[in-house]
Amino acid sequence: MSSSSTLPKYVKIVEVGPRDGLQNEKEFVPIDVKVDLINQLSNAGFSNIEAASFVSPKWIPQMAGSDKVMAAISRKPGTIYSALTPNMKGYESALAAKVDEIVIFSAASEAFAQKNINCSITESVERFAPVAKAAKQDGIRIRGSISCSFGCPYEGSVEAAQVSEVVKRMMELGCDEIDIADTIGVGTPGQIAAVFEGLFAFAPKEQFSGHFHDTYGQALANIYAAMQVGVSIFHSSIAGLGGCPYAKGATGNVATEDVLYMLKGLGIETGIDFDTAVKIGEYITKVTGKTNASRVGRAIAAKK
Amino acid sequence: MSSSSTLPKYVKIVEVGPRDGLQNEKEFVPIDVKVDLINQLSNAGFSNIEAASFVSPKWIPQMAGSDKVMAAISRKPGTIYSALTPNMKGYESALAAKVDEIVIFSAASEAFAQKNINCSITESVERFAPVAKAAKQDGIRIRGSISCSFGCPYEGSVEAAQVSEVVKRMMELGCDEIDIADTIGVGTPGQIAAVFEGLFAFAPKEQFSGHFHDTYGQALANIYAAMQVGVSIFHSSIAGLGGCPYAKGATGNVATEDVLYMLKGLGIETGIDFDTAVKIGEYITKVTGKTNASRVGRAIAAKK
């Protein structure tokens, strides 16, 4: 069997470093550094960048000034700049800041929804109905993110049927794209393939992305397995920014450089310049004083 | 497509930490620690442990006392204890030390053979002919290891045909098992699958193992791809011991715990107790003062 024959020709990378990554770093990263990072990413060819979160700074101080970030970046035509919008207030701010895509979110685990968003899964999706309706009217793309689709820090295992259930609700809200997220990085390739195959029984493949954390080192194998069943959108974080909020000191988002290295080796197009991505990883780790969590980034730095 | 249907039911892990791993660590690890490590591994269910190297301590001081290690370990019945034998002198020592399997080696890259073993690929294999002949007569298993099968630190790319060529010579020497090694960890899943598929056109699948370094983070995806084309033996190093000799500070051998985690998730048997393996990784990193290079090891430690 030649497994590579089933792989996509093009993969869209959603770079989540500026939001999901930096939000989970302890220290606040200055607005101008965020702007610089986002501009470097768009210039390197990243076509979708999670840039901001319009959430109360009381809740998430790291995301304060998201409006300033959005106002200061140099918009590259065709690039989608996404922002999290937890409620109508956040949505209004995102609209004013001219984001291209809003991100709404729920979880596949009841325990996680309760602990993280203080309501049931059903309630969490219902609360987003007015946000989604407004975005549709305003012609803004909607992305739905489903946390803990492969395991939960409180509940343990999560059934594929639970994921499908939340996906259906997200589709009813009119989501253009839906992220199936392994928030704690516990999934393994067979499980990943099975969950996506379950979704593709009732929904189009192009609508789904894989958001995999590398906490247990599984992310690249999971991406490979997901591509084999038809997933062609993946989230990653430059230099692996972010860490794991559920196990301090462990790895979080899969590093963009590691994903790009694999895709390049597989001959899969991304539109992103690999060498520039590695340099951006060096830049952001230097300026923030973080350790580069990308193995590719570290290997290339070590050879110099 | 359900990719997991083609995966092996059982995978043999060759634990290379005590030799390949510790050899590439800067500090000498005391004999009694090595003995303790090897005994812990055999008790955890590892059925094949690369335990020693009968090479001159002038060349590789970290392997001094391999005879003492072999004499002091508690042999577990059925467990294969392997040792590197670079020449007849090394073979005689290995025989005296009652190793179960000798390891002979060459490379798929001429430049690497010249720099690493000071001769051509052809010469390197020919030099092992008397060693292999003696091992056959003495009823000792022979493993052949082929470095740089997917890329070379000096030559860059390596063609699949070069690997096949060296494999054929190793088979002529009577090797029972042949390691296809990604010594610098540059391979990606499509390349891995293609090289093994090339070999399986003329040689039985059960005879080959994948030895993958995680320098660019690709090792687990490569193992997954290799399993899909029929490879069922893999090398790994507990706690990722070893690092990368060609890029100091970068990752070397794939961590055993990360491999076991993936195999467990895929429902593939190994005969190894996962929790015990994680504890052995904690033990050896604590006693040697190393950072645990296993993501699984770090994630589990971070949760405590």
Side-chain angles (χ1 to χ4, degrees):
Chain A
M1 133 187 201
S2 184
S3 43
S4 57
S5 57
T6 59
L7 298 175
K9 287 189 169 47
Y10 176 88
V11 155
K12 182 176 98 166
I13 295 291
V14 178
E15 170 58 45
V16 302
R19 202 288 304 174
D20 195 23
L22 293 182
Q23 170 171 330
N24 288 310
E25 296 289 355
K26 222 174 6 189
E27 298 83 12
F28 181 79
V29 173
I31 306 289
D32 60 333
V33 171
K34 284 180 182 163
V35 170
D36 196 10
L37 172 63
I38 294 165
N39 287 344
Q40 286 188 41
L41 290 165
S42 61
N43 284 329
F46 287 87
S47 61
N48 195 338
I49 303 167
E50 195 170 278
S53 178
F54 292 97
V55 59
S56 167
K58 274 190 292 183
W59 284 68
I60 301 178
Q62 290 93 330
M63 288 294 112
S66 276
D67 53 341
K68 295 195 184 78
V69 171
M70 290 304 296
I73 54 173
S74 307
R75 305 273 182 136
K76 198 179 175 198
T79 303
I80 297 169
Y81 299 90
S82 316
L84 257 74
T85 54
N87 47 40
M88 274 310 287
K89 188 163 176 242
Y91 176 75
E92 296 298 343
S93 304
L95 185 70
K98 296 191 172 51
V99 306
D100 303 294
E101 179 180 76
I102 59 156
V103 182
I104 62 179
F105 44 89
S106 186
S109 142
E110 275 302 344
F112 189 85
Q114 289 292 354
K115 290 231 184 193
N116 209 49
I117 13 185
N118 297 307
C119 61
S120 72
I121 294 171
T122 307
E123 283 167 342
S124 75
V125 180
E126 276 168 4
R127 283 184 195 175
F128 279 117
V131 173
K133 196 178 166 196
K136 280 283 157 201
Q137 282 168 349
D138 296 326
I140 296 176
R141 273 177 63 94
I142 309 172
R143 203 175 87 207
S145 185
I146 304 175
S147 294
C148 297
S149 294
F150 304 96
C152 166
Y154 313 113
E155 253 178 39
S157 64
V158 168
E159 295 300 313
Q162 293 174 251
V163 181
S164 294
E165 200 49 49
V166 190
V167 160
K168 282 173 188 162
R169 290 167 191 269
M170 288 282 191
M171 289 174 80
E172 283 163 13
L173 288 186
C175 286
D176 297 286
E177 202 166 300
I178 298 175
D179 318 328
I180 310 302
D182 188 3
T183 310
I184 52 171
V186 293
T188 44
Q191 183 192 8
I192 302 294
V195 167
F196 279 105
E197 282 179 320
L199 299 179
F200 298 161
F202 64 86
K205 293 180 179 185
E206 314 77 58
Q207 205 171 342
F208 292 90
S209 73
H211 176 111
F212 301 137
H213 281 219
D214 209 18
T215 315
Y216 291 79
Q218 310 295 307
L220 285 195
N222 289 346
I223 290 175
Y224 188 65
M227 289 196 297
Q228 289 182 325
V229 297
V231 182
S232 62
I233 310 173
F234 295 98
H235 292 198
S236 63
S237 176
I238 198 83
L241 285 175
C244 175
Y246 306 98
K248 294 290 173 200
T251 312
N253 284 299
V254 64
T256 303
E257 299 93 313
D258 299 3
V259 178
L260 292 178
Y261 184 93
M262 181 173 79
L263 297 178
K264 190 162 73 96
L266 291 166
I268 296 171
E269 296 289 331
T270 60
I272 298 160
D273 187 75
F274 174 76
D275 294 337
T276 307
V278 171
K279 284 192 187 109
I280 298 172
E282 288 169 5
Y283 157 80
I284 192 65
T285 48
K286 197 177 165 191
V287 81
T288 58
K290 301 271 153 217
T291 302
N292 196 330
S294 160
R295 297 200 171 194
V296 165
R298 286 207 305 269
I300 291 174
K303 281 205 300 183
K304 281 181 183 166
Chain B
M1 127 188 207
S2 185
S3 43
S4 57
S5 56
T6 59
L7 298 175
K9 286 190 168 47
Y10 177 87
V11 155
K12 181 176 98 168
I13 295 290
V14 179
E15 169 58 45
V16 302
R19 203 287 304 174
D20 195 23
L22 293 183
Q23 171 170 331
N24 289 311
E25 296 289 353
K26 227 182 351 198
E27 297 83 11
F28 181 79
V29 172
I31 306 288
D32 60 332
V33 172
K34 283 180 183 163
V35 170
D36 196 11
L37 173 62
I38 293 165
N39 287 344
Q40 286 189 39
L41 290 165
S42 61
N43 284 329
F46 287 87
S47 62
N48 194 339
I49 302 168
E50 195 171 276
S53 178
F54 291 97
V55 59
S56 167
K58 274 190 293 184
W59 284 69
I60 301 176
Q62 291 93 332
M63 286 295 112
S66 276
D67 52 341
K68 295 196 185 79
V69 171
M70 291 304 296
I73 55 173
S74 307
R75 307 272 182 135
K76 198 179 173 198
T79 302
I80 298 169
Y81 299 90
S82 317
L84 257 73
T85 53
N87 47 40
M88 273 310 288
K89 190 167 174 236
Y91 175 74
E92 296 299 342
S93 303
L95 184 69
K98 295 192 170 52
V99 307
D100 303 292
E101 179 180 73
I102 59 156
V103 182
I104 61 178
F105 43 90
S106 186
S109 144
E110 276 300 345
F112 189 84
Q114 288 292 353
K115 291 231 184 194
N116 209 49
I117 11 184
N118 297 305
C119 61
S120 71
I121 294 171
T122 306
E123 284 167 341
S124 75
V125 180
E126 277 169 2
R127 283 185 192 174
F128 279 117
V131 172
K133 197 180 166 196
K136 279 283 159 202
Q137 282 169 347
D138 296 327
I140 295 177
R141 272 178 62 95
I142 309 172
R143 203 175 86 206
S145 185
I146 305 176
S147 293
C148 296
S149 293
F150 304 95
C152 167
Y154 313 114
E155 253 178 41
S157 65
V158 168
E159 295 300 314
Q162 293 174 249
V163 181
S164 293
E165 200 50 49
V166 190
V167 160
K168 283 173 187 162
R169 291 167 190 267
M170 289 282 192
M171 289 173 81
E172 282 162 14
L173 288 187
C175 285
D176 297 287
E177 202 167 300
I178 298 175
D179 318 327
I180 310 301
D182 189 3
T183 311
I184 53 171
V186 293
T188 45
Q191 182 192 8
I192 302 295
V195 166
F196 279 104
E197 282 179 320
L199 299 178
F200 298 159
F202 65 87
K205 294 180 179 183
E206 313 77 59
Q207 205 171 343
F208 292 90
S209 73
H211 175 110
F212 302 137
H213 281 219
D214 209 18
T215 317
Y216 291 79
Q218 310 295 306
L220 285 195
N222 289 346
I223 289 174
Y224 188 66
M227 288 195 298
Q228 288 181 327
V229 297
V231 182
S232 63
I233 311 172
F234 295 98
H235 292 197
S236 63
S237 176
I238 197 84
L241 285 176
C244 175
Y246 306 97
K248 295 288 174 200
T251 312
N253 285 301
V254 65
T256 302
E257 299 92 313
D258 299 3
V259 178
L260 292 178
Y261 184 93
M262 181 173 79
L263 297 178
K264 191 162 71 97
L266 291 166
I268 296 171
E269 295 291 330
T270 61
I272 299 160
D273 187 76
F274 174 76
D275 295 335
T276 307
V278 171
K279 285 193 186 107
I280 298 172
E282 288 169 5
Y283 156 78
I284 192 64
T285 49
K286 196 177 168 195
V287 80
T288 59
K290 303 271 153 216
T291 302
N292 196 331
S294 160
R295 298 198 172 195
V296 165
R298 288 207 304 271
I300 290 173
K303 279 203 301 182
K304 280 178 184 168

